Amino acid sequence: MRTMNHSFHIGSARIEHPTVMAPMAGITDTAFRKMIRRRGCGLVCSEMISANGLCHGSEKTVQMMAHAGSEKPFSL
């Protein structure tokens, strides 16, 4: 039986599984992302990040961007 490789690349990042999680405000926090990665998702994404929060150095926005090594590859 032939095994198919469904991995792909985004720039230099290799995504091993062809599923990508969408950013969802109030849903895709660290705990949710870790759970999804354990179930085989190829790329997890943070919650939606406010550009305004980034420009003004919002601590809440910075906390939303934090991620664990087990979540890699990770996107914002």
Side-chain angles (χ1 to χ4, degrees), residues 14-45:
R14 181 180 173 150
I15 311 302
E16 295 294 330
H17 194 274
T19 57
V20 175
M21 183 178 78
M24 296 175 277
I27 304 293
T28 55
D29 60 9
T30 299
F32 186 80
R33 292 189 306 259
K34 286 179 180 178
M35 179 184 68
I36 295 301
R37 283 287 297 155
R38 283 193 305 267
R39 285 163 175 74
C41 184
L43 177 63
V44 295
C45 190

Side-chain angles (χ1 to χ4, degrees), residues 6-76:
H6 293 289
S7 65
F8 63 100
H9 288 84
I10 298 176
S12 62
R14 181 180 173 150
I15 311 302
E16 295 294 330
H17 194 274
T19 57
V20 175
M21 183 178 78
M24 296 175 277
I27 304 293
T28 55
D29 60 9
T30 299
F32 186 80
R33 292 189 306 259
K34 286 179 180 178
M35 179 184 68
I36 295 301
R37 283 287 297 155
R38 283 193 305 267
R39 285 163 175 74
C41 184
L43 177 63
V44 295
C45 190
S46 71
E47 296 184 61
M48 290 188 220
I49 302 297
S50 163
N52 194 34
L54 286 174
C55 289
H56 294 289
S58 164
E59 183 60 34
K60 182 177 178 182
T61 300
V62 171
Q63 288 174 1
M64 291 171 68
M65 292 171 29
H67 62 282
S70 62
E71 297 177 69
K72 292 182 180 177
F74 174 79
S75 63
L76 291 171

